Amino acid sequence: MDIRVEQGKAEKYPCELLLLFSFESREQLEGPILNVDLEWKGFLSNLMKQGDFKGELFEHQLLHTHGALRAKRVLLTGLGKRGEFDLEKWRGASSKAGQFIRDSGIKQFAFPIWKFDSFSEEGLAEAFVTGLLLGTYQFIEFKTLERDKIKEIGEVVLLGETDKEIKAMNEGLRISKIISESVNMARGLVNGPSNTITPTALAKKAERIAKDHVINIQVLEVGQAEAMGMGAFVAVAKGSQEPGKFIIMEYNQDKGLDTIALVGKGITFDSGGISIKPSEKMERMKDDMSGAAAVMATMETASKLQLPLHLVGIIPATENLPSGKAYKPGDILKTLSGQTVEVISTDAEGRLILSDALTYSLRYHPKAIIDLATLTGACVIALGDYVIGLFGNDESLLKRIEEASANTGEKAWRLPLWDEYFEYLKSDVADFKNVGTRAAGAIIGAIFLSKFVEKIPWVHLDIAGPASIEKERPYIPRGGTGVGVRLLVQLLRDWAKGEER
Ligand code: BES
Ligand code: MN
Ligand code: ZN
């Protein structure tokens, strides 16, 4: 999809389709739709007066102009009640409009920007493009039949009138394109099956990103990880024929900038290992590298946006499979931190590989560590499939995350890390077990991770629910969602802004 900004008036602009929005109201029309209505001799206001278009949220009405306008068609899209409007609804509305236009087989449309209330043109343009690019994402890599029936929008023109508008829209477009394309890249990795998205493939992709965007990269083999003492990562990796990879990406090193470490769980397939999972829904476990995908996409975005921060992306990548070489319940592992872990379930593998990755991140002396992981089914039970479980040891970092969450619509909800929960992880034979009780499973997983970050401000995002979804949401199609990328990028942008001040 090619999106660009042009100077022009909606009521005079020749295009296949003109996209117009309206709030739900009986009163006066507002924004660019007003001038279009005038040009069209009150056609639109009459339509609304007669109740044929109400402006309800995501309501659509496709109209043919029959030469009354230079646009061949008009698509009206409802924004719902004015008082309930926010950028999250706006992203949803642009997505729904984009999906409607695409599914109608229309290849080109124009959209006049409309500045209202306290929303900036740049912010509105950014959110519009985000909704559009994320909402019309399709994973078609493996579809071979009837490829010609796959519909796509070719060209979108954002219309502005003043130079100031055009400048702001171009900036919003630039930023959203960078972020949204990275989110869609992450979705592609999550949707990709584990027979193509192996740890080796993840490492190759990370290397590609690093080459293209001036990021340093180092990929450790399992043997090297073993020599360094990563007993937990190695234990999980050794059951698989696919070689595990420990990936370290670094952006802006040695510049005296604030260091932030991003750690992503990269299990490219989680069978549970010897503690094998039931086969029902096991195919979903290809998404167990969603944290890794989010970290890679965030590194890419940060570099494209040239954020003035020192970022370290750490991705332990491996499969979790049963075999004659696999680790077993009862095994005692020595982690990179020196602490020992008694394996109760080989299906609690995420916290094991993350423990070594978290310890590894400490050598960079980061100001903050943020990990993303599809860590526990319990988190899905607790919060559902559209909310991130949020844990941390530092109030100000947690607040930063919550602010970014509110601004991006990537919902995150705090759960406690009280000492009492640690009791469940005490082991008779090692420093701790890798599994506690079923009750409070998400919290216990997070408590385990907390033992590997020492006193560094740290946040754990359990993305088991939202990483991939079965029921689509306004601008998130079914399947891999790329969750976490927009949240992290927002956090980093806010952090970088704070540093400039
Ligand atoms: N990758 C799973 C968690 C998961 C489950 C993500 C469902 C998405 C949907 C993780 O490795 C796992 O298996 N966790 C176990 C932990 C248990 C053994 C303590 C779980 O949630 O059952
Ligand atoms: Mn597991
Ligand atoms: Zn897992």
Side-chain angles (χ1 to χ4, degrees):
M1 192 187 311
D2 173 45
I3 311 177
R4 62 196 153 81
V5 177
E6 260 188 44
Q7 194 149 25
K9 290 182 187 296
E11 65 277 16
K12 302 278 183 216
Y13 194 78
C15 52
E16 287 296 313
L17 182 145
L18 187 64
L19 173 60
L20 299 170
F21 291 93
S22 171
F23 289 114
E24 190 180 323
S25 120
R26 294 163 181 282
E27 295 145 44
Q28 264 271 276
L29 293 171
E30 45 176 327
I33 197 171
L34 239 173
N35 291 333
V36 176
D37 185 51
L38 276 176
E39 181 81 17
W40 206 346
K41 306 200 169 59
F43 185 87
L44 296 174
S45 44
N46 281 332
L47 192 92
M48 291 185 76
K49 255 180 231 141
Q50 286 168 26
D52 292 332
F53 179 77
K54 297 188 183 66
E56 285 167 3
L57 189 62
F58 306 153
E59 180 185 352
H60 287 123
Q61 178 86 254
L62 182 65
L63 304 163
H64 289 255
T65 59
H66 300 288
L69 300 174
R70 299 191 64 190
K72 281 193 199 150
R73 309 170 187 84
V74 163
L75 177 66
L76 297 177
T77 295
L79 294 178
K81 298 202 170 57
R82 203 182 205 291
E84 292 170 7
F85 180 82
D86 59 16
L87 289 183
E88 184 66 359
K89 295 224 169 63
W90 183 230
R91 286 185 281 263
S94 83
S95 159
K96 293 281 188 181
Q99 291 170 356
F100 185 96
I101 293 166
R102 175 193 65 196
D103 296 343
S104 307
I106 297 164
K107 298 249 175 308
Q108 191 252 1
F109 75 91
F111 158 67
I113 193 76
W114 167 25
K115 156 106 185 80
F116 52 90
D117 297 350
S118 57
F119 298 99
S120 70
E121 280 118 341
E122 183 183 323
L124 287 167
E126 182 186 327
F128 178 85
V129 174
T130 299
L132 188 63
L133 288 175
L134 296 186
T136 56
Y137 167 82
Q138 311 179 77
F139 183 68
I140 51 178
E141 203 179 314
F142 293 91
K143 295 275 189 191
T144 66
L145 303 177
E146 303 186 315
R147 273 193 80 94
D148 50 322
K149 292 220 174 113
I150 296 169
K151 293 171 180 158
E152 270 168 330
I153 298 171
E155 185 190 78
V156 181
V157 180
L158 307 181
L159 290 174
E161 295 194 18
T162 66
D163 288 348
K164 181 176 156 280
E165 261 175 13
I166 290 187
K167 190 159 170 261
M169 289 162 72
N170 267 316
E171 185 59 7
L173 168 62
R174 183 185 76 86
I175 290 171
S176 172
K177 263 190 82 165
I178 290 174
I179 300 172
S180 305
E181 281 167 7
S182 281
V183 173
N184 285 341
M185 185 274 286
R187 289 173 172 183
L189 292 174
V190 175
N191 287 328
S194 74
N195 58 327
T196 66
I197 307 295
T198 58
T200 303
L202 271 191
K204 283 229 172 80
K205 181 74 188 174
E207 275 164 353
R208 182 78 259 155
I209 291 170
K211 260 215 191 82
D212 291 346
H213 304 291
V214 235
I215 294 168
N216 275 14
I217 185 162
Q218 204 187 340
V219 178
L220 304 179
E221 304 300 326
V222 176
Q224 291 169 286
E226 186 160 25
M228 289 174 68
M230 295 194 197
F233 170 68
V234 171
V236 177
K238 72 182 190 178
S240 167
Q241 298 282 336
E242 283 292 338
K245 304 279 170 181
F246 192 93
I247 307 165
I248 306 132
M249 302 172 84
E250 198 175 356
Y251 163 68
N252 267 344
Q253 69 272 35
D254 304 327
K255 292 187 182 160
L257 299 165
D258 278 2
T259 302
I260 299 174
L262 306 174
V263 178
K265 174 177 174 182
I267 296 287
T268 58
F269 186 75
D270 182 12
S271 71
I274 297 293
S275 314
I276 199 159
K277 288 180 181 294
S279 57
E280 196 182 317
K281 290 277 157 71
M282 207 203 268
E283 70 279 4
R284 193 201 149 168
M285 283 302 126
K286 69 174 183 178
D287 79 6
D288 214 16
M289 35 55 73
S290 297
V295 168
M296 283 163 61
T298 303
M299 295 296 293
E300 176 181 71
T301 306
S303 171
K304 281 174 139 182
L305 293 176
Q306 296 187 294
L307 297 183
L309 292 169
H310 172 214
L311 300 180
V312 186
I314 301 173
I315 297 167
T318 168
E319 297 185 324
N320 183 26
L321 291 182
S323 80
K325 289 194 174 145
Y327 79 130
K328 303 172 292 296
D331 287 1
I332 298 176
L333 314 177
K334 185 155 188 160
T335 65
L336 182 61
S337 71
Q339 302 174 104
T340 56
V341 181
E342 179 190 5
V343 176
I344 300 301
S345 169
T346 62
D347 198 11
E349 84 297 341
R351 60 197 73 180
L352 294 175
I353 65 168
L354 289 172
S355 69
D356 282 343
L358 290 169
T359 301
Y360 190 87
S361 77
L362 297 175
R363 64 177 61 193
Y364 296 91
H365 305 291
K367 286 240 158 77
I369 305 172
I370 303 167
D371 79 72
L372 295 93
T374 42
L375 201 71
T376 65
C379 197
V380 194
I381 302 297
L383 298 174
D385 75 354
Y386 69 102
V387 179
I388 301 169
L390 168 60
F391 304 83
N393 60 4
D394 182 84
E395 185 59 32
S396 100
L397 183 60
L398 283 161
K399 286 238 167 73
R400 284 177 190 264
I401 296 268
E402 283 170 335
E403 202 178 312
S405 166
N407 286 332
T408 52
E410 295 203 322
K411 289 199 163 57
W413 193 254
R414 254 196 233 196
L415 291 168
L417 285 179
W418 293 312
D419 286 341
E420 285 84 342
Y421 291 109
F422 182 59
E423 295 299 316
Y424 300 112
L425 287 177
K426 291 206 164 138
S427 162
D428 292 336
V429 293
D431 295 332
F432 9 93
K433 303 189 285 190
N434 75 333
V435 166
T437 49
R438 251 165 76 88
I443 297 174
I444 291 169
I447 287 271
F448 182 93
L449 298 180
S450 74
K451 299 296 166 190
F452 298 88
V453 294
E454 296 180 355
K455 294 267 177 285
I456 306 291
W458 155 78
V459 152
H460 160 57
L461 302 172
D462 193 332
I463 56 172
S468 75
I469 57 174
E470 281 181 38
K471 196 176 168 344
E472 61 160 29
R473 292 205 293 278
Y475 59 96
I476 313 179
R478 278 162 58 84
T481 61
V483 72
V485 179
R486 293 175 52 246
L487 178 76
L488 286 181
V489 171
Q490 187 66 45
L491 173 101
L492 298 176
R493 283 170 78 191
D494 293 344
W495 190 305
K497 248 191 228 142
E499 286 315 291
E500 276 167 15
R501 256 186 254 136

